[in-house]
Amino acid sequence: MIGIIGGSGLYSGLEELGGEERIVRTRFGDMKVLLGENFVFLSRHGNPPVPPHMVKYHANIEVFKNLKIEKVVAISSVGSLVKEVKPGEILVPDDLLDFTGRVWTYHNDKPVHVNLYEPFCPSLREEIKNIGGMKIGGIYATTKGPQFETRAEANMLRMLGAKVVGMTVAPEARLAREMELCYQPICPVVNYVDGNTTHENTIEMVKKMEEKIADIVMRLIQSNGV
Ligand code: HPA
C-alpha cells in the first residue's frame, strides 16, 4: 500500500487507476481521497485548487497516518536552478531547504523535536531509483510563494547548493516526519528559474509531463501491491 500526494494537474493522468472516492476524517477537516486496492491518492491543492500557502498540509499528512499508510510519495513540480537539470526531466531530491518562514508542526502545546537531518525517506528513494529514468539526489529549496523567485533569490539558492525550487515540500516533509511517515518527493521539472517563467508555461509543462509521471506512479503502486 502506498500513498500518493498529487500536485495540481496530475489527477487526470491517474484516472485510469480506478479507485473509489472516500472521505477521511482528520482533526483538521474531512478530506477526499481516491482509495484503490494498493494505493491512496490525495490531491494536494484540492478541487477547486488552493494556492501553495493555503494548502491544508496538516490535514493532508494526517490522512495517511489515519489510514495507516506509512509510505508516501509526493509529486511536486519545481523550477530548475541549474543548467544540468532540464525542464521535462524528473528529479528525486535527497535534501531540503525551507524558506517558507513558517512553523510547521503538530505539536503546539509541548516541546517535541524530531530528527530531520535526513528529511526524506532513503529506502523509498531507492525504490524510485530502481524504476529508472529519473535524476536522483539534489537539494530542493522551498519558498513561500506564490510568486516565483527574484534574480537575487534564485542566485542565493544556487549559492546554497539548491538544484530545484518549489513551494510545497518543506511543510509536507516536516509534518510527515512528525507523523513518522516515510515521505519522498518526486519532482517534475517544469521550467528554468529565469525571467521567462510564467504560470501558464509551467502548467503547460506539467500537462506535457503528466503521462510520464502517471507511469512512474503506476509502477510504484504495482511494486507496493497489497
Ligand atoms: N519556482 C518555485 N516554484 C516552482 C517553480 C519555480 O520556478 N516552478 C514550479 N514550481
Side-chain angles (χ1 to χ4, degrees):
M1 198 75 170
I2 190 162
I4 302 139
I5 300 176
S8 27
L10 183 74
Y11 205 75
S12 60
L14 289 174
E15 261 164 9
E16 58 199 274
L17 280 182
E20 285 176 11
E21 278 191 357
R22 288 283 167 81
I23 300 293
V24 180
R25 285 251 142 96
T26 78
R27 290 172 294 165
F28 307 91
D30 291 355
M31 305 303 288
K32 201 192 282 179
V33 301
L34 201 59
L35 180 64
E37 206 181 344
N38 307 339
F39 72 92
V40 171
F41 178 85
L42 172 72
S43 167
R44 173 185 294 116
H45 298 267
N47 190 18
V50 298
H53 62 289
M54 299 300 287
V55 167
K56 294 167 86 178
Y57 293 105
H58 292 76
N60 283 355
I61 295 297
E62 204 186 275
V63 160
F64 298 102
K65 187 70 177 178
N66 290 355
L67 292 173
K68 301 200 165 33
I69 292 173
E70 282 167 9
K71 263 191 209 179
V72 180
V73 292
I75 311 301
S76 311
S77 297
V78 291
S80 171
L81 293 157
V82 293
K83 260 202 223 99
E84 66 269 22
V85 178
K86 301 179 181 67
E89 294 182 336
I90 297 168
L91 185 102
V92 183
D94 64 0
D95 217 333
L96 179 65
L97 284 168
D98 182 357
F99 288 97
T100 62
R102 287 169 65 182
V103 176
W104 302 105
T105 184
Y106 288 106
H107 305 291
N108 292 311
D109 45 8
K110 62 178 192 299
V112 175
H113 306 290
V114 297
N115 191 311
L116 204 67
Y117 200 80
E118 188 81 67
F120 308 136
C121 184
S123 61
L124 184 49
R125 194 160 60 246
E126 193 62 28
E127 250 184 75
I128 294 165
K129 183 178 170 188
N130 290 336
I131 293 174
M134 288 168 268
K135 289 198 164 149
I136 309 294
I139 300 173
Y140 174 118
T142 314
T143 63
K144 53 162 88 73
Q147 300 84 7
F148 293 119
E149 298 66 43
T150 65
R151 182 189 289 117
E153 285 166 345
N155 282 335
M156 174 192 75
L157 297 176
R158 285 188 193 104
M159 277 192 263
L160 294 174
K163 283 200 172 153
V164 295
V165 56
M167 302 173 189
T168 54
V169 161
E172 289 177 359
R174 290 178 185 281
L175 295 171
R177 181 57 49 83
E178 287 193 350
M179 286 290 185
E180 299 178 319
L181 305 179
C182 157
Y183 167 89
Q184 176 65 51
I186 295 178
C187 301
V189 181
V190 296
N191 60 290
Y192 277 123
V193 178
D194 61 21
N196 300 315
T197 304
T198 63
H199 183 60
E200 289 70 27
N201 59 32
T202 58
I203 297 285
E204 204 177 304
M205 195 58 167
V206 168
K207 291 233 162 71
K208 278 194 195 150
M209 296 184 71
E210 239 172 41
E211 215 175 301
K212 204 165 162 180
I213 297 293
D215 184 58
I216 290 164
V217 169
M218 221 77 97
R219 282 165 197 259
L220 274 171
I221 292 173
Q222 277 159 10
S223 64
N224 281 277
V226 217

